[in-house]
Amino acid sequence: MSFDLVIRGAVVVGAGVGAPSRVDVGVADGLIAALGAELSGPATEEVDADGLYLLPGVVDGHVHMNEPGRTAWEGFDTGTRALAAGGATAAIDMPLNAHPPTVTGAAFDEKRRCLELRAFVDVALWGGLVPDGIDAMHELAARGVVGFKAFMCSSGIDDFPGVDDLTLYEGMCRAASVGLPIAVHAESEAITAGLAQRARAAGRTAMRDFLASRPVVAELEAIARAITLAEESGCSLHVVHVSTGRGVALVAAARARGVDVSCETCPHYLVLTDEDAEVLGNVAKCAPPLRPREESEALWQALADGTLPMVASDHSPAPGALKSGDDAFAAWGGISGCQTMLPLLLSEGTGARGLSLELIAAATSGYVARRFRLPGKGRVEPGADADFALVALGASASEELSAMDLHYRHRHSPFVGRRFAARVVRTFARGRTVFADGRIVGRPAGRLLIPTTTEMESR
């Protein structure tokens, strides 16, 4: 057999190869052609990966690339460069904060045009569920969205309003009819808006006041309500960026009784706390907000025991001016994090907590690809897309993140200055090198990913 590429000597992690082991990986026509010890046959390119680990390319299930319309915040060019630098080979882009948001077929078509011109990795698209938007769900489904995102509170973006319970329920019924999931930002509008209004009226606008305005109960109430509506409608449900172990427990209990529901958390909820938010300021503002240490510990435990199956970055950038000022309520609520997700999880999960490499690969890649039916992604086995992250681990990989290392349009991150014990050395997307030695390689060649029509993975 002849190959376009052979990666030799890496410790390979991922479904289809059992426990991590040193094998060669042969690639032909953008697909994995063979796995084995000392593969023979001519190869156009050979990569010596001795001492490195080969993981399936990250599939980041929650990013905001903001294109079209808000590329001053981020766009497919810079955003997918950052993804590649973080070992990601695919991502699912949210319908906001693009302008127009992806709530119609025409908006989908424009976003597709943008990504196919400028993306360095493959991208799938979430559609949006907004008031008066139910009739457009069929045209979005026909074009190939992976599902529909809804906010149970204000999104912070005027052209993507939150939904009331009736719209959410009717949207879930429509989503069930086309076999696609609903993803929800689950926070109670009544609780969060009411507490925020009281605090601002009293002149209390510090970060601690913002944190207090979005208590855990606001998240738990909304998760429980979404689960009830999904159970009654027969809709598949995904709860994004869960920030508390009790939220994960609600999802796990519903799944145990047969509800098709899943959830994700984000690296910032695992490694940062409310105290970090006060120290770091607006660069660490997000919604739901950062929680006390006991909540992050509960999330780590849920990740370890399998009740929390997925981690996504929720990369939500904004220009520095929108992250500045003394009023924490006025600052943009989003964390830039797609480039650092895998190094963070490897450093803090496998390095500090002893989680397996297989678990990290499943949570950031394999499960995401199965849950959202992304063909060819998330596994290292013959016939799959040749999407890999080559990473160095341990003392030899130790480095401190500087702002100049970041490929975002705006180089701010709460993780700047943090020392990592894992480093992405090289990223391959469908067999082509897109990132190596700290820089992007080649030209944009990302494709739109369309979910398969097979039944969704429920766990």
Side-chain angles (χ1 to χ4, degrees):
M1 180 179 292
S2 60
F3 303 101
D4 300 321
L5 166 71
V6 174
I7 303 172
R8 297 197 182 276
V11 177
V12 176
V13 180
V17 299
S21 57
R22 284 188 57 169
V23 294
D24 294 345
V25 181
V27 174
D29 297 323
L31 304 176
I32 301 173
L35 298 168
E38 300 181 1
L39 289 178
S40 60
T44 303
E45 179 184 12
E46 291 198 10
V47 173
D48 180 2
D50 184 52
L52 302 177
Y53 292 80
L54 185 149
L55 279 69
V58 168
V59 181
D60 194 336
H62 188 157
V63 300
H64 297 266
M65 295 289 102
N66 305 337
E67 189 171 358
R70 288 192 175 94
T71 52
W73 295 27
E74 187 81 282
F76 286 114
D77 180 12
T78 53
T80 60
R81 287 170 183 264
L83 283 162
T89 52
I92 312 180
D93 188 37
M94 286 294 173
L96 74 166
N97 308 314
H99 180 72
T102 315
V103 295
T104 65
F108 179 101
D109 295 341
E110 176 61 13
K111 180 163 277 198
R112 177 176 187 165
R113 185 188 70 82
C114 292
L115 79 87
E116 290 180 341
L117 283 173
R118 287 183 275 278
F120 283 84
V121 302
D122 294 341
V123 181
L125 300 178
W126 283 100
L129 170 60
V130 295
D132 301 321
I134 292 175
D135 289 342
M137 292 173 69
H138 275 297
E139 62 190 58
L140 288 166
R143 281 167 167 79
V145 296
V146 301
F148 305 95
K149 170 74 174 292
F151 270 73
M152 299 175 73
C153 60
S154 172
S155 73
I157 296 292
D158 291 341
D159 54 9
F160 198 94
V163 296
D164 57 28
D165 286 353
L166 178 58
T167 301
L168 182 56
Y169 174 68
E170 291 181 338
M172 285 180 169
C173 292
R174 185 66 60 89
S177 74
V178 295
L180 291 174
I182 293 285
V184 292
H185 178 127
E187 287 185 285
S188 165
E189 174 69 7
I191 295 173
T192 58
L195 290 175
Q197 183 179 22
R198 286 183 191 174
R200 301 194 78 178
R204 294 183 282 106
T205 59
M207 180 58 71
R208 178 54 63 179
D209 302 310
F210 169 75
L211 299 174
S213 76
R214 305 185 89 98
V216 168
V217 67
E219 189 175 355
L220 299 180
E221 186 277 335
I223 291 173
R225 185 157 34 100
I227 289 171
T228 298
L229 295 174
E231 190 168 13
E232 289 298 314
S233 66
C235 176
S236 173
L237 174 67
H238 182 68
V239 185
V240 300
H241 51 49
V242 176
S243 69
T244 166
R246 285 174 284 171
V248 174
L250 286 175
V251 171
R255 194 165 58 240
R257 67 174 186 267
V259 183
D260 184 1
V261 56
S262 58
C263 65
E264 70 192 39
T265 195
C266 306
H268 42 273
Y269 297 122
L270 290 165
V271 304
L272 300 176
T273 69
D274 55 344
E275 294 180 353
D276 292 312
E278 289 193 275
V279 172
L280 293 167
N282 294 334
V283 73
K285 180 189 173 183
C286 55
L290 299 178
R291 304 294 191 192
R293 175 65 61 191
E294 56 265 28
E295 296 292 356
S296 62
E297 292 298 327
L299 292 173
W300 278 116
Q301 180 57 47
L303 188 63
D305 67 25
T307 53
L308 175 57
M310 176 177 164
V311 182
S313 73
D314 189 13
H315 177 66
S316 186
L322 295 181
K323 297 292 279 183
S324 62
D326 296 329
D327 184 347
F329 289 92
W332 176 254
I335 287 177
S336 295
C338 67
Q339 183 173 330
T340 51
M341 179 167 71
L342 183 61
L344 267 174
L345 290 175
L346 292 172
S347 298
E348 300 294 331
T350 61
R353 295 173 179 271
L355 301 183
S356 70
L357 291 169
E358 299 98 313
L359 187 152
I360 300 300
T364 59
S365 185
Y367 177 85
V368 191
R370 295 195 308 274
R371 179 62 170 156
F372 301 111
R373 301 177 299 183
L374 301 180
K377 304 302 182 184
R379 62 190 195 275
V380 181
E381 59 187 42
D385 287 355
D387 289 357
F388 316 121
L390 277 181
V391 300
L393 300 177
S396 64
S398 179
E399 62 180 7
E400 182 178 300
L401 182 71
S402 77
M404 295 308 297
D405 296 324
L406 297 172
H407 289 261
Y408 310 139
R409 182 175 179 86
H410 305 285
R411 292 175 171 172
H412 52 73
S413 162
F415 306 115
V416 168
R418 192 181 190 97
R419 183 161 290 278
F420 292 78
R423 175 170 50 88
V424 176
V425 174
R426 192 162 178 170
T427 303
F428 299 86
R430 286 181 278 107
R432 59 188 172 84
T433 298
V434 290
F435 173 81
D437 301 322
R439 62 186 182 88
I440 298 297
V441 178
R443 299 176 61 82
R447 300 174 182 172
L448 174 70
L449 292 175
I450 302 292
T452 65
T453 57
T454 57
E455 186 176 351
M456 286 189 66
E457 176 82 14
S458 63
R459 293 186 62 82

